[in-house]
Amino acid sequence: MALSAASQHSTLAETLPELAPPYRLLLGPGPCNIDPRVFRALAAPQLGHLDPEMIRIMGETAEMLRWMFQTRNELTLCVSGSGFSGAEAVLSNLLEEGDTLIVGSLGFFSGKIADISQRIGARVISVTTEPGKPLEAAALEKAFQEHPEARLFATAVAETSTGLYQPLKELEAITHAHGALFVVDAVCGLGGVPLNVDEQKIDACYSGSQKCLGALPGLAPLTLNQRAVEAIKGRRTPVQSYYLDLLALNRYWNGDHAYHHTLSSNLVYTMYEALRIAKEEGLEARWARHKLHGDALKIGVKAMGLSILTQPGYELPVLTPILLPAGVAETAVSKALLNEYNIEVGGGLGAFKGHMLRVGLMGYNASQQNVYTLLQALEHILPRHGHAVTPGASLAAVDAFYSSKQR
Amino acid sequence: MALSAASQHSTLAETLPELAPPYRLLLGPGPCNIDPRVFRALAAPQLGHLDPEMIRIMGETAEMLRWMFQTRNELTLCVSGSGFSGAEAVLSNLLEEGDTLIVGSLGFFSGKIADISQRIGARVISVTTEPGKPLEAAALEKAFQEHPEARLFATAVAETSTGLYQPLKELEAITHAHGALFVVDAVCGLGGVPLNVDEQKIDACYSGSQKCLGALPGLAPLTLNQRAVEAIKGRRTPVQSYYLDLLALNRYWNGDHAYHHTLSSNLVYTMYEALRIAKEEGLEARWARHKLHGDALKIGVKAMGLSILTQPGYELPVLTPILLPAGVAETAVSKALLNEYNIEVGGGLGAFKGHMLRVGLMGYNASQQNVYTLLQALEHILPRHGHAVTPGASLAAVDAFYSSKQR
């Protein structure tokens, strides 16, 4: 077969240079930098997706995920995709065309639950909060009163767009009192904030590999309890997606390992090693570490004269949404952080676009060094972009905080 | 929050050992071993999915994919998932509930097109071939005559389950004569067999990263021409999947780079480097290399008294389906290859389960060394499992073949 004109006249240089991405400190809303141990695991030899060694590693990874989720659920596995693929897997398996669900829409990410569910053909009742404010139990109760046919309620424990840490206890009680399934998005939360799927009676929970878990992007861990599994088994129609069919995926991960798709062994290695590191640290110590450095960052940011979007008492330790004063351009600050310090942070979404920095301290990156590094960089950059800062005030406040914690 | 009983009484050993997967020679139907250069690229520093450096790398990767697909299509990108996610992306974007499509079902993998499309809600007309035999033009013409409402025809250029290399020219002409879209599954073919999307008038084509392209699993490259894009734009309903919405994905890859999902930078690095290697080799040289070693393997296998499933003249260079004689158990042979030689091969699917070895020589693995290594291993193993082999006959035939090609 002859090569076409596209080949002969490609605008592409004959050979592109070797890749040389710069080292970035990833302090955005994810991905975060993985532990060097996870990088070592990444480069281990490939295995086929049906190799007995791979099946063994998958089994151990699933068992560590059960520990991470704090669950005994058999259906615990990774979807081969980003966090949104986990969301879509859970929703498209639990919902059928015409079903009603209530979405606790706390911001951009939990808001996506509505979009995903609508595409599935479900009827979406959104209960929306003001940015940075939690969903109140009364609002959910009202929604269930008005829509008793709702068979599922879904929200996020950690809303990445507004740094909200959503309490779940009352929402769970209301959801189950109305006989619906309780679904929690923990993409940003798992491994960073307290979560106990069985104790909190969460019927289905999904996450992402690249945030507080500290693996590479490309896997979406999730877990469903028996009640959720029965709901899938009772479907009137097949799940719309072959790729995200959870019973078939569970058979591959936890059953007779029948072929479903080509799993990326090396991505699973990163999950295995990240979970092994978490297990060495311990869950409560890991949650406490994220809380400690998240608190320190917030103290340092406030000492710089900046404010946090989230309502006090509901701040997410792992993601801090910093409001920029009028006249300070988000892109100018984030570009300076990237170009002068190789630090990536996130920007505002929706109404906050252009006016916010979203800083993640997740997994390996939740450390005192990173709190210091970011605050010093901001102290250097902000005055040049319209926000005066008292030199040294921020770090003095942070040092005092860390000292108080060591006593 | 207290840790649950699941944590306190986990059956999991407190800390699992460091990962130590063995080095396998992956000669199954994919994944194949990646070039050591691709491993180096894999371990390059992570980038965020919106980093300007990452956007630049994505742009160059997409441009190299256009060269690989031999197309000028703007909508050329990678879905973040396995090959099946690419199939599902193309089908779920081009089909709506109630639409009719004709599937050229050549075996397990092109047969999956039917399953995926049915779940989407489409009406599937399957035109099935005998295993290892190509789809004849007359059969497709008949299907279109009977189902003039069919708006899409999909089949595979390389059917991995039966080693079939399907000619496309007549199928394309018939499909377009009936005004339908021509969709080609090239999961196993791209980078290994001649394919020229523009010249062959393919409206949509998808592939997998881990076969002849030689990257890690986890990405599904695909390309759609303007006619296919217009079909998506003309949909009556939104695409059922957020994750696989191709116009949104194209906006992220090739448009204003608006956030869609968290891309795995390191997987894209493997695609970039694999394509760079392909570009250095050249497309025709790469196709010829796959053909040379695929032919050599088939000659060696036949000299061992074994036969190939595929109808002569339609053998796929990159995947050889070896029929095992009665009394020779597939699992005994493949287990011996794995345990004694660290060689992975695939087994038979469907009716061939237990009676077939499927051997892939793809990407980096399409080499003379691997032909020799596999044939010698088989010569050692087969006699112990019920098939007598004349020592040395196979390699003598292969040597003669290679010599004839060097003249």
Side-chain angles (χ1 to χ4, degrees), chain A residues 1 4 12 16-17 24 32 34 46 51 70 82 88 119 217 239 241-243 245 264 272 276 279, chain B residues 1 4 12 16-17 24 32 34 46 51 70 82 88 119 217 239 241-243 245 264 272 276 279 284:
Chain A
M1 178 173 305
S4 76
L12 186 70
L16 286 164
R24 303 286 204 207
C32 63
I34 58 178
Q46 301 165 263
D51 191 306
Q70 290 286 290
S82 84
E88 193 161 309
R119 287 165 178 264
V239 177
S241 168
Y242 168 82
Y243 192 64
D245 184 313
S264 197
Y272 176 99
R276 211 167 69 98
K279 209 138 183 356
Chain B
M1 180 174 303
S4 75
L12 185 71
L16 286 164
R24 303 286 204 207
C32 64
I34 57 178
Q46 301 165 262
D51 191 306
Q70 289 287 289
S82 84
E88 194 161 309
R119 287 165 178 265
V239 177
S241 169
Y242 167 83
Y243 192 64
D245 185 313
S264 198
Y272 175 100
R276 210 167 70 99
K279 207 136 185 359
E284 291 191 322

Side-chain angles (χ1 to χ4, degrees), chain A residues 37-91:
Chain A
R37 278 176 55 182
V38 177
F39 251 122
R40 284 216 305 277
L42 173 65
Q46 301 165 263
L47 285 175
H49 47 291
L50 299 173
D51 191 306
E53 277 297 305
M54 190 65 222
I55 299 292
R56 192 180 57 73
I57 291 168
M58 289 162 64
E60 289 170 352
T61 303
E63 190 57 22
M64 286 194 283
L65 277 175
R66 286 184 193 100
W67 168 80
M68 177 56 78
F69 276 118
Q70 290 286 290
T71 184
R72 294 179 186 275
N73 291 342
E74 189 224 28
L75 200 163
T76 304
L77 52 78
C78 295
V79 172
S80 292
S82 84
F84 277 139
S85 77
E88 193 161 309
V90 166
L91 295 163

Side-chain angles (χ1 to χ4, degrees), chain A residues 93-161:
Chain A
N93 278 261
L94 293 179
L95 293 169
E96 296 188 71
E97 221 171 314
D99 284 350
T100 300
L101 80 155
I102 300 172
V103 177
S105 185
L106 316 169
F108 181 86
F109 289 91
S110 45
K112 275 282 173 207
I113 296 171
D115 180 18
I116 292 169
S117 304
Q118 251 153 7
R119 287 165 178 264
I120 293 162
R123 186 159 164 258
V124 177
I125 311 300
S126 282
V127 187
T128 306
T129 65
E130 275 181 68
K133 297 203 167 145
L135 180 63
E136 301 291 346
L140 181 61
E141 179 59 41
K142 183 162 172 285
F144 267 115
Q145 300 274 356
E146 289 168 8
H147 302 280
E149 76 282 11
R151 60 189 313 268
L152 189 152
F153 168 69
T155 194
V157 62
E159 170 56 49
T160 325
S161 69

Side-chain angles (χ1 to χ4, degrees), chain B residues 11-29:
Chain B
T11 54
L12 185 71
E14 197 46 43
T15 306
L16 286 164
E18 190 173 1
L19 274 178
Y23 179 82
R24 303 286 204 207
L25 181 55
L26 300 173
L27 299 184

